Amino acid sequence: MTKPKNIQEATRENWIQNTFPEWGTWLNEEIEKSVVPESNFRMWWLANNGVWLKTHEDTNILVDLWNGTGKQTHGNGLMKDGHQMMRMSGVREMQPNLRLQPFVIDPYAVKNVDALLVTHIHSDHLDINTAAAVLQNSGPDTKFIGPQAVVDIWKGWGVPEDRTIVVHPGDEVKVKSVTIKALEAFDRTALLTVSKEEKIAGHLPQDMNEIAVNYLFKTSGGNLYHAADSHMSNMFAKHGNENKVDVEIINYGENPRGITDKVTSIDVLRSAEDLKTNVVIPVHYDIWSNFDADPQEIVKLWQMKKDTLDYKFHPFVWKVGGSYTYPQDKEKIQFHYNRGFKDVFTHENDVPFTSFL
Protein backbone atom coordinates (compact mmCIF):
# COMPACT_ATOMS: atom_id res chain seq x y z
CA MET A 1 0.00 0.00 0.00
CA THR A 2 1.22 3.51 -0.85
CA LYS A 3 2.37 5.58 2.10
CA PRO A 4 0.21 8.65 2.78
CA LYS A 5 1.40 12.00 1.44
CA ASN A 6 -0.98 14.09 3.53
CA ILE A 7 -3.20 13.93 6.60
CA GLN A 8 -6.29 13.05 4.57
CA GLU A 9 -4.63 9.89 3.20
CA ALA A 10 -3.37 8.79 6.62
CA THR A 11 -5.78 6.17 8.01
CA ARG A 12 -5.59 3.39 10.55
CA GLU A 13 -5.79 0.79 7.78
CA ASN A 14 -3.02 2.51 5.82
CA TRP A 15 -0.84 2.68 8.95
CA ILE A 16 -1.31 -1.03 9.70
CA GLN A 17 -0.59 -2.16 6.16
CA ASN A 18 2.50 0.04 5.87
CA THR A 19 3.88 -0.92 9.28
CA PHE A 20 3.25 -4.61 9.91
CA PRO A 21 5.15 -6.88 9.92
CA GLU A 22 7.67 -4.42 11.32
CA TRP A 23 10.63 -6.05 9.55
CA GLY A 24 8.73 -6.44 6.28
CA THR A 25 10.47 -9.06 4.12
CA TRP A 26 14.00 -8.14 5.28
CA LEU A 27 14.51 -11.44 7.11
CA ASN A 28 12.71 -13.48 4.44
CA GLU A 29 15.20 -12.14 1.92
CA GLU A 30 18.17 -12.75 4.22
CA ILE A 31 17.20 -16.38 4.80
CA GLU A 32 16.58 -17.03 1.11
CA LYS A 33 19.95 -15.56 0.07
CA SER A 34 21.90 -17.14 2.91
CA VAL A 35 24.48 -19.76 1.92
CA VAL A 36 25.34 -22.10 4.79
CA PRO A 37 28.99 -23.19 5.00
CA GLU A 38 29.71 -26.87 4.48
CA SER A 39 29.54 -28.99 7.67
CA ASN A 40 27.45 -26.29 9.39
CA PHE A 41 23.78 -25.56 9.96
CA ARG A 42 22.28 -22.10 10.37
CA MET A 43 19.14 -20.99 12.17
CA TRP A 44 17.22 -17.80 12.79
CA TRP A 45 15.18 -16.95 15.87
CA LEU A 46 11.72 -15.79 14.80
CA ALA A 47 10.53 -14.89 18.35
CA ASN A 48 9.02 -17.13 21.03
CA ASN A 49 10.02 -20.72 20.15
CA GLY A 50 9.96 -20.08 16.41
CA VAL A 51 13.08 -21.18 14.54
CA TRP A 52 14.05 -21.44 10.88
CA LEU A 53 16.67 -24.17 10.30
CA LYS A 54 18.72 -24.16 7.09
CA THR A 55 21.42 -26.65 6.14
CA HIS A 56 24.40 -26.56 3.82
CA GLU A 57 22.35 -28.71 1.41
CA ASP A 58 19.62 -26.04 1.36
CA THR A 59 17.08 -27.95 3.41
CA ASN A 60 14.70 -25.46 5.05
CA ILE A 61 12.68 -26.42 8.10
CA LEU A 62 10.32 -24.11 9.98
CA VAL A 63 9.47 -24.84 13.62
CA ASP A 64 6.75 -23.27 15.83
CA LEU A 65 6.50 -19.95 13.95
CA TRP A 66 3.78 -17.92 15.67
CA ASN A 67 2.25 -14.79 14.16
CA GLY A 68 -0.28 -13.85 16.80
CA THR A 69 -0.58 -11.45 19.71
CA GLY A 70 -1.21 -11.62 23.41
CA LYS A 71 -3.75 -9.46 25.18
CA GLN A 72 -4.90 -6.38 23.29
CA THR A 73 -7.68 -5.29 25.64
CA HIS A 74 -8.56 -5.66 29.30
CA GLY A 75 -11.89 -7.18 28.30
CA ASN A 76 -13.84 -8.41 31.33
CA GLY A 77 -10.61 -8.94 33.27
CA LEU A 78 -11.00 -12.72 33.51
CA MET A 79 -9.26 -15.66 31.89
CA LYS A 80 -11.28 -18.05 29.78
CA ASP A 81 -12.88 -20.84 31.76
CA GLY A 82 -10.58 -23.86 31.78
CA HIS A 83 -7.44 -21.90 30.84
CA GLN A 84 -4.33 -23.80 31.90
CA MET A 85 -3.00 -20.89 33.97
CA MET A 86 -6.30 -20.68 35.83
CA ARG A 87 -6.29 -24.43 36.46
CA MET A 88 -2.66 -24.34 37.58
CA SER A 89 -2.95 -21.44 40.02
CA GLY A 90 -6.61 -21.12 40.94
CA VAL A 91 -6.51 -17.49 39.76
CA ARG A 92 -9.30 -16.13 37.58
CA GLU A 93 -7.90 -12.65 36.86
CA MET A 94 -6.64 -12.27 33.31
CA GLN A 95 -2.89 -12.80 32.96
CA PRO A 96 -1.23 -9.66 31.49
CA ASN A 97 0.54 -11.48 28.68
CA LEU A 98 1.26 -8.71 26.19
CA ARG A 99 3.43 -9.51 23.17
CA LEU A 100 6.87 -7.89 23.56
CA GLN A 101 8.56 -8.66 20.24
CA PRO A 102 7.96 -7.27 16.74
CA PHE A 103 7.04 -9.51 13.85
CA VAL A 104 10.45 -10.13 12.27
CA ILE A 105 9.28 -12.25 9.34
CA ASP A 106 6.39 -11.99 6.91
CA PRO A 107 4.67 -15.41 6.97
CA TYR A 108 2.98 -14.79 3.63
CA ALA A 109 6.35 -14.14 1.99
CA VAL A 110 7.78 -17.43 3.27
CA LYS A 111 9.11 -19.59 0.44
CA ASN A 112 11.07 -22.80 -0.06
CA VAL A 113 9.96 -24.48 3.16
CA ASP A 114 10.53 -28.24 3.02
CA ALA A 115 8.65 -28.97 6.25
CA LEU A 116 6.66 -27.14 8.91
CA LEU A 117 6.98 -28.71 12.34
CA VAL A 118 4.99 -27.85 15.45
CA THR A 119 5.91 -29.18 18.87
CA HIS A 120 2.57 -29.01 20.68
CA ILE A 121 -1.01 -27.77 20.78
CA HIS A 122 -0.62 -24.32 22.36
CA SER A 123 -1.70 -21.50 20.08
CA ASP A 124 1.55 -19.55 20.44
CA HIS A 125 3.26 -22.46 18.64
CA LEU A 126 0.48 -23.79 16.41
CA ASP A 127 -0.45 -20.84 14.17
CA ILE A 128 -3.10 -20.72 11.46
CA ASN A 129 -1.38 -17.96 9.44
CA THR A 130 1.85 -19.93 9.33
CA ALA A 131 -0.01 -23.03 8.17
CA ALA A 132 -1.90 -21.06 5.50
CA ALA A 133 1.22 -19.33 4.21
CA VAL A 134 3.27 -22.53 4.00
CA LEU A 135 0.41 -24.33 2.26
CA GLN A 136 -0.04 -21.49 -0.26
CA ASN A 137 3.64 -20.94 -1.03
CA SER A 138 5.08 -24.45 -0.98
CA GLY A 139 5.10 -27.39 -3.34
CA PRO A 140 3.28 -30.70 -2.89
CA ASP A 141 6.30 -32.31 -1.21
CA THR A 142 6.28 -29.91 1.76
CA LYS A 143 5.10 -31.76 4.86
CA PHE A 144 3.30 -30.68 8.03
CA ILE A 145 4.78 -32.70 10.89
CA GLY A 146 3.57 -32.87 14.49
CA PRO A 147 1.92 -34.97 17.20
CA GLN A 148 -1.59 -36.31 16.62
CA ALA A 149 -3.50 -33.43 18.25
CA VAL A 150 -1.54 -30.87 16.21
CA VAL A 151 -2.23 -32.72 12.97
CA ASP A 152 -5.92 -32.95 13.88
CA ILE A 153 -6.05 -29.14 14.24
CA TRP A 154 -4.22 -28.64 10.92
CA LYS A 155 -6.71 -30.89 9.15
CA GLY A 156 -9.57 -28.99 10.76
CA TRP A 157 -8.11 -25.79 9.27
CA GLY A 158 -7.98 -27.33 5.79
CA VAL A 159 -4.46 -28.77 5.47
CA PRO A 160 -4.81 -31.87 3.26
CA GLU A 161 -4.31 -35.09 5.21
CA ASP A 162 -1.78 -36.41 2.68
CA ARG A 163 0.46 -33.42 3.46
CA THR A 164 0.59 -34.29 7.19
CA ILE A 165 2.77 -36.70 9.14
CA VAL A 166 1.91 -37.74 12.71
CA VAL A 167 4.91 -38.45 14.94
CA HIS A 168 5.25 -40.09 18.33
CA PRO A 169 8.38 -40.35 20.49
CA GLY A 170 10.93 -42.57 18.75
CA ASP A 171 9.65 -41.89 15.22
CA GLU A 172 12.08 -40.60 12.60
CA VAL A 173 11.21 -38.66 9.45
CA LYS A 174 13.63 -37.80 6.64
CA VAL A 175 13.23 -34.34 5.09
CA LYS A 176 15.82 -33.98 2.32
CA SER A 177 19.20 -33.79 4.09
CA VAL A 178 17.78 -33.71 7.65
CA THR A 179 16.63 -36.63 9.78
CA ILE A 180 14.05 -35.54 12.36
CA LYS A 181 13.57 -37.64 15.46
CA ALA A 182 10.58 -37.10 17.73
CA LEU A 183 11.29 -37.44 21.45
CA GLU A 184 9.23 -37.32 24.64
CA ALA A 185 8.07 -33.88 25.74
CA PHE A 186 7.76 -32.85 29.39
CA ASP A 187 5.20 -30.08 29.10
CA ARG A 188 2.90 -30.40 32.11
CA THR A 189 1.20 -27.12 31.22
CA ALA A 190 -0.03 -28.70 27.98
CA LEU A 191 -1.68 -31.43 30.02
CA LEU A 192 -3.74 -28.77 31.78
CA THR A 193 -5.05 -27.28 28.54
CA VAL A 194 -8.71 -28.19 28.11
CA SER A 195 -11.72 -26.52 26.58
CA LYS A 196 -14.75 -25.49 28.60
CA GLU A 197 -16.67 -28.40 27.04
CA GLU A 198 -13.97 -30.89 28.02
CA LYS A 199 -13.94 -29.55 31.58
CA ILE A 200 -17.72 -29.90 31.88
CA ALA A 201 -17.46 -33.45 30.55
CA GLY A 202 -15.02 -34.38 33.31
CA HIS A 203 -11.89 -34.26 31.17
CA LEU A 204 -9.14 -36.69 32.18
CA PRO A 205 -5.42 -35.90 31.78
CA GLN A 206 -4.38 -36.06 28.13
CA ASP A 207 -1.72 -38.40 26.77
CA MET A 208 1.43 -36.28 26.47
CA ASN A 209 2.66 -38.26 23.47
CA GLU A 210 -0.46 -37.29 21.52
CA ILE A 211 -0.24 -33.55 22.19
CA ALA A 212 3.47 -32.67 22.47
CA VAL A 213 6.91 -33.82 21.37
CA ASN A 214 10.47 -32.55 21.45
CA TYR A 215 12.55 -32.78 18.26
CA LEU A 216 16.11 -33.76 17.40
CA PHE A 217 17.30 -32.49 14.01
CA LYS A 218 20.24 -34.47 12.63
CA THR A 219 22.17 -32.46 10.04
CA SER A 220 25.54 -32.69 8.31
CA GLY A 221 26.68 -29.80 10.51
CA GLY A 222 25.57 -31.22 13.85
CA ASN A 223 22.43 -32.04 15.81
CA LEU A 224 19.89 -29.56 17.15
CA TYR A 225 17.60 -30.46 20.08
CA HIS A 226 14.40 -28.41 20.31
CA ALA A 227 12.94 -28.81 23.80
CA ALA A 228 9.80 -26.77 23.01
CA ASP A 229 7.93 -25.88 26.22
CA SER A 230 9.22 -28.84 28.22
CA HIS A 231 9.75 -28.44 31.93
CA MET A 232 12.78 -29.82 33.72
CA SER A 233 12.81 -33.61 33.71
CA ASN A 234 15.26 -36.37 34.55
CA MET A 235 14.43 -37.73 31.08
CA PHE A 236 16.75 -35.12 29.57
CA ALA A 237 19.59 -37.35 30.79
CA LYS A 238 18.03 -40.32 28.96
CA HIS A 239 17.82 -38.27 25.77
CA GLY A 240 21.43 -37.20 26.24
CA ASN A 241 22.57 -40.78 26.68
CA GLU A 242 20.71 -42.06 23.65
CA ASN A 243 21.33 -39.18 21.23
CA LYS A 244 24.16 -36.90 20.19
CA VAL A 245 23.16 -33.30 20.93
CA ASP A 246 25.28 -30.34 19.81
CA VAL A 247 22.90 -27.42 20.34
CA GLU A 248 19.87 -27.25 22.63
CA ILE A 249 17.00 -24.75 22.41
CA ILE A 250 14.83 -24.55 25.52
CA ASN A 251 12.06 -22.31 26.87
CA TYR A 252 13.02 -19.98 29.73
CA GLY A 253 11.15 -17.31 31.66
CA GLU A 254 10.45 -15.57 34.95
CA ASN A 255 7.42 -17.45 36.25
CA PRO A 256 4.73 -15.37 37.98
CA ARG A 257 3.87 -16.21 41.59
CA GLY A 258 2.17 -19.59 41.90
CA ILE A 259 2.98 -20.60 38.30
CA THR A 260 5.39 -23.24 37.02
CA ASP A 261 5.32 -22.79 33.28
CA LYS A 262 8.81 -21.84 32.08
CA VAL A 263 12.19 -23.36 32.88
CA THR A 264 14.27 -21.41 35.40
CA SER A 265 17.86 -20.29 34.82
CA ILE A 266 19.35 -23.11 36.89
CA ASP A 267 17.24 -25.70 35.07
CA VAL A 268 18.40 -24.36 31.71
CA LEU A 269 21.91 -25.33 32.85
CA ARG A 270 20.73 -28.64 34.34
CA SER A 271 19.02 -29.65 31.09
CA ALA A 272 22.14 -28.79 29.10
CA GLU A 273 24.33 -30.89 31.39
CA ASP A 274 21.89 -33.81 31.16
CA LEU A 275 21.71 -33.62 27.37
CA LYS A 276 25.51 -33.39 27.14
CA THR A 277 25.11 -30.57 24.64
CA ASN A 278 27.84 -28.14 23.59
CA VAL A 279 25.62 -25.04 23.49
CA VAL A 280 22.32 -24.19 25.19
CA ILE A 281 20.15 -21.36 23.87
CA PRO A 282 17.24 -20.02 25.94
CA VAL A 283 14.16 -18.77 24.09
CA HIS A 284 10.53 -17.90 24.89
CA TYR A 285 11.50 -15.41 27.63
CA ASP A 286 11.27 -12.68 25.00
CA ILE A 287 7.62 -12.83 24.07
CA TRP A 288 5.27 -12.49 27.06
CA SER A 289 5.40 -9.41 29.26
CA ASN A 290 4.41 -11.37 32.37
CA PHE A 291 7.23 -13.91 31.85
CA ASP A 292 9.88 -11.39 30.83
CA ALA A 293 13.34 -12.53 32.02
CA ASP A 294 17.00 -11.64 31.62
CA PRO A 295 19.10 -14.44 30.05
CA GLN A 296 22.23 -12.86 31.51
CA GLU A 297 21.15 -14.59 34.72
CA ILE A 298 21.90 -17.88 32.96
CA VAL A 299 25.32 -16.61 31.88
CA LYS A 300 26.17 -15.46 35.43
CA LEU A 301 25.15 -18.81 36.92
CA TRP A 302 27.17 -20.63 34.28
CA GLN A 303 30.22 -18.51 35.09
CA MET A 304 29.79 -19.32 38.79
CA LYS A 305 29.47 -23.07 38.25
CA LYS A 306 31.38 -23.95 35.08
CA ASP A 307 34.72 -24.65 36.75
CA THR A 308 33.54 -26.32 39.95
CA LEU A 309 31.03 -28.53 38.09
CA ASP A 310 33.27 -28.93 35.04
CA TYR A 311 30.59 -27.89 32.57
CA LYS A 312 31.37 -28.97 29.00
CA PHE A 313 28.87 -26.54 27.50
CA HIS A 314 28.14 -22.84 27.48
CA PRO A 315 25.01 -20.70 27.00
CA PHE A 316 24.39 -18.46 24.01
CA VAL A 317 22.24 -15.35 24.40
CA TRP A 318 20.36 -14.80 21.15
CA LYS A 319 18.26 -11.89 19.88
CA VAL A 320 15.07 -12.14 17.87
CA GLY A 321 15.69 -11.98 14.12
CA GLY A 322 19.33 -12.95 14.58
CA SER A 323 21.09 -15.96 13.11
CA TYR A 324 23.33 -18.59 14.69
CA THR A 325 25.61 -20.90 12.71
CA TYR A 326 26.95 -24.10 14.23
CA PRO A 327 29.80 -24.93 14.64
CA GLN A 328 31.03 -21.65 13.08
CA ASP A 329 29.63 -19.64 16.05
CA LYS A 330 30.34 -22.35 18.62
CA GLU A 331 32.51 -20.15 20.86
CA LYS A 332 30.17 -17.15 20.90
CA ILE A 333 28.32 -16.30 24.11
CA GLN A 334 26.12 -13.46 22.84
CA PHE A 335 24.59 -12.27 19.58
CA HIS A 336 24.72 -8.72 18.31
CA TYR A 337 22.91 -7.34 15.27
CA ASN A 338 24.91 -6.28 12.22
CA ARG A 339 25.97 -2.69 12.82
CA GLY A 340 26.68 -1.95 9.14
CA PHE A 341 28.96 0.85 7.92
CA LYS A 342 31.83 -1.54 7.21
CA ASP A 343 33.00 0.39 4.16
CA VAL A 344 33.15 3.89 5.60
CA PHE A 345 35.46 6.33 3.78
CA THR A 346 35.88 4.04 0.80
CA HIS A 347 34.10 6.77 -1.19
CA GLU A 348 34.55 10.52 -1.04
CA ASN A 349 32.51 11.93 1.81
CA ASP A 350 30.83 15.30 1.51
CA VAL A 351 31.22 16.69 5.02
CA PRO A 352 33.32 19.89 5.35
CA PHE A 353 35.82 18.21 7.70
CA THR A 354 36.84 14.63 8.51
CA SER A 355 37.20 14.90 12.26
CA PHE A 356 35.01 16.26 14.98
CA LEU A 357 37.89 16.40 17.45
Side-chain angles (χ1 to χ4, degrees):
M1 177 172 283
T2 305
K3 291 186 177 181
K5 299 182 178 62
N6 54 58
I7 293 295
Q8 287 70 34
E9 293 180 1
T11 64
R12 186 174 189 274
E13 180 183 9
N14 187 286
W15 165 64
I16 291 172
Q17 294 195 14
N18 277 299
T19 305
F20 301 99
E22 291 95 331
W23 282 30
T25 59
W26 176 281
L27 194 58
N28 300 73
E29 296 164 27
E30 177 183 320
I31 294 171
E32 186 174 358
K33 292 186 294 185
S34 179
V35 177
V36 181
E38 190 172 355
S39 300
N40 282 257
F41 66 82
R42 180 167 294 159
M43 53 187 183
W44 289 262
W45 187 16
L46 309 178
N48 205 32
N49 270 31
V51 173
W52 187 302
L53 172 66
K54 187 172 186 176
T55 70
H56 164 69
E57 299 85 358
D58 199 31
T59 303
N60 290 272
I61 294 174
L62 190 55
V63 186
D64 280 7
L65 172 59
W66 174 61
N67 295 286
T69 66
K71 297 297 183 295
Q72 295 179 299
T73 173
H74 286 265
N76 65 1
L78 300 176
M79 280 189 274
K80 291 181 180 179
D81 193 26
H83 191 282
Q84 61 266 18
M85 295 298 173
M86 185 186 74
R87 297 187 69 206
M88 183 186 299
S89 65
V91 173
R92 292 193 58 84
E93 298 92 81
M94 182 181 293
Q95 60 166 334
N97 57 327
L98 304 171
R99 180 176 175 127
L100 293 179
Q101 289 295 338
F103 294 91
V104 296
I105 194 165
D106 184 343
Y108 290 98
V110 161
K111 295 186 292 185
N112 305 319
V113 174
D114 296 301
L116 170 63
L117 280 82
V118 167
T119 57
H120 65 288
I121 56 173
H122 283 153
S123 59
D124 59 337
H125 300 256
L126 176 56
D127 178 66
I128 192 169
N129 285 291
T130 302
V134 171
L135 190 64
Q136 292 168 17
N137 298 337
S138 64
D141 295 331
T142 299
K143 297 300 184 183
F144 292 69
I145 302 170
Q148 183 67 62
V150 167
V151 169
D152 289 344
I153 293 171
W154 273 331
K155 290 191 295 185
W157 288 342
V159 176
E161 185 171 4
D162 62 1
R163 299 285 295 274
T164 66
I165 298 176
V166 175
V167 290
H168 294 93
D171 291 347
E172 290 194 352
V173 178
K174 185 80 170 178
V175 176
K176 292 175 65 174
S177 66
V178 178
T179 298
I180 303 164
K181 183 177 182 180
L183 296 165
E184 294 92 347
F186 322 119
D187 186 358
R188 293 185 299 275
T189 305
L191 292 176
L192 294 172
T193 302
V194 296
S195 67
K196 182 178 181 180
E197 291 73 24
E198 289 172 311
K199 183 181 179 184
I200 292 172
H203 176 270
L204 296 174
Q206 301 184 63
D207 182 346
M208 181 75 81
N209 293 338
E210 300 298 320
I211 63 175
V213 293
N214 294 350
Y215 290 115
L216 181 71
F217 299 92
K218 303 177 185 180
T219 82
S220 61
N223 294 350
L224 170 67
Y225 183 102
H226 196 301
D229 275 2
S230 285
H231 298 93
M232 185 59 202
S233 169
N234 295 333
M235 287 285 285
F236 279 124
K238 180 177 184 291
H239 289 177
N241 288 343
E242 296 177 350
N243 304 279
K244 182 180 183 294
V245 178
D246 295 297
V247 179
E248 173 196 4
I249 291 174
I250 189 168
N251 81 95
Y252 162 63
E254 194 66 62
N255 292 300
R257 181 173 180 266
I259 295 293
T260 305
D261 185 53
K262 300 293 178 283
V263 173
T264 65
S265 53
I266 189 61
D267 284 339
V268 169
L269 300 181
R270 290 179 63 204
S271 71
E273 184 178 25
D274 285 350
L275 285 170
K276 298 190 285 189
T277 188
N278 295 319
V279 180
V280 59
I281 305 177
V283 295
H284 214 316
Y285 65 89
D286 68 298
I287 201 72
W288 297 125
S289 59
N290 62 328
F291 284 88
D292 186 26
D294 187 349
Q296 291 299 332
E297 179 181 320
I298 299 168
V299 176
K300 295 299 183 184
L301 278 172
W302 172 77
Q303 291 171 338
M304 288 173 57
K305 295 172 174 287
K306 64 183 178 71
D307 295 327
T308 53
L309 297 184
D310 194 27
Y311 282 161
K312 304 298 184 185
F313 66 89
H314 67 79
F316 176 73
V317 177
W318 219 353
K319 291 187 178 179
V320 172
S323 66
Y324 179 81
T325 304
Y326 185 88
Q328 177 179 290
D329 297 336
K330 182 179 178 181
E331 303 306 319
K332 291 184 178 180
I333 299 293
Q334 185 159 337
F335 174 84
H336 199 290
Y337 296 112
N338 181 2
R339 299 174 69 204
F341 296 95
K342 294 178 180 178
D343 296 324
V344 291
F345 295 115
T346 56
H347 302 327
E348 186 68 27
N349 64 309
D350 61 359
V351 295
F353 45 84
T354 57
S355 173
F356 295 99
L357 300 178

